[in-house]
Structures are given as structure tokens and as C-alpha cells.
Amino acid sequence: QVHIVESGGGLVHPGGSLTLSCAASGPIRTMYTMGWHRQAEGEQREMVATITSSFLTQYADSVKGRFTISRDNSKNTIYLQMNSLKPEDTAVYYCNAVASHEVNGVVQSAWGQGTQVTVSS
């Protein structure tokens, strides 16, 4: 099983910045797409940003130009640089990783437990 751990969440004022980290570990043969998703209270989870093993990225329209996703393949780690934060960015941010198992090569999707980001005055 792949283990996902997120970190870097916290409280920040509107207009501020925050950087999230996500590290994947376990019996991984090949790491494929990784990404960040968020869920605000009372709302459904939404995709924020994804990055493939070839560093191709996708962003939600609401964060494009403000957030940047990056990847370190040697560490199976991704980051999310969040700038110009707004109150509507407040949510629990979850990391997702798609990877194949070292033993049988079966592809699986794993999720972390999330890290809280709160943007408030």
C-alpha cells in the first residue's frame, strides 16, 4: 500500500502565501500523476492542481495564476505554492497519488488524510 502524508497547512491572512508538501512512500514501482484536491465545509471535493510524471500540469480555473504545483520524482514528493490567498481558498487540502505496485505492477490511487488551510483576517 502507498502511504501519503501532507504537511504545510495553517492559518494565513488574505493575500498571503503558503506552501504545501506531499510525500508518498511504500512499495511503489512507478509513480504516475499526483495532485492536490480540496474540500471546503459543506461543499464537494474539487481538483486544484495535478502534475504528471512528465511534469505536465493542470489547474482549476479558480487557482490558475496564483497556485503552482511542482514535483520531485526522486523523492515521490509534490508541492503546492499558494500565493494571493483568498478566504474562498479555505479548505482541507488532500494529496492524491497514482502509482503501480512494486510486486505485481497493479495501478492504484492513494489519498492522504489532508491538511487544513485557513485564509482569514
Side-chain angles (χ1 to χ4, degrees):
Q1 69 285 9
V2 178
H3 186 218
I4 305 294
V5 178
E6 304 103 331
S7 63
L11 175 65
V12 64
H13 293 158
S17 299
L18 206 60
T19 300
L20 306 182
S21 298
C22 168
S25 61
I28 301 170
R29 174 177 294 178
T30 303
M31 183 68 74
Y32 299 109
T33 299
M34 298 181 73
W36 292 95
H37 301 243
R38 68 186 182 187
Q39 184 170 18
E41 291 188 4
E43 300 182 12
Q44 296 188 28
R45 186 182 65 185
E46 65 174 345
M47 186 274 288
V48 176
T50 61
I51 183 167
T52 70
S53 58
S54 298
F55 305 99
L56 297 178
T57 60
Q58 292 185 338
Y59 296 92
D61 289 341
S62 60
V63 308
K64 189 174 183 179
R66 298 188 298 121
F67 291 9
T68 301
I69 188 170
S70 59
R71 176 172 185 150
D72 184 339
N73 288 342
S74 66
K75 299 178 181 179
N76 286 328
T77 299
I78 61 169
Y79 308 90
L80 186 67
Q81 297 175 243
M82 303 183 291
N83 300 319
S84 301
L85 284 162
K86 306 174 181 179
E88 50 263 45
D89 293 318
T90 296
V92 176
Y93 285 69
Y94 298 92
C95 179
N96 172 252
V98 179
S100 63
H101 197 278
E102 280 189 339
V103 178
N104 55 27
V106 173
V107 178
Q108 62 177 297
S109 178
W111 293 87
Q113 294 185 339
T115 184
Q116 176 72 48
V117 172
T118 302
V119 184
S120 176
S121 297

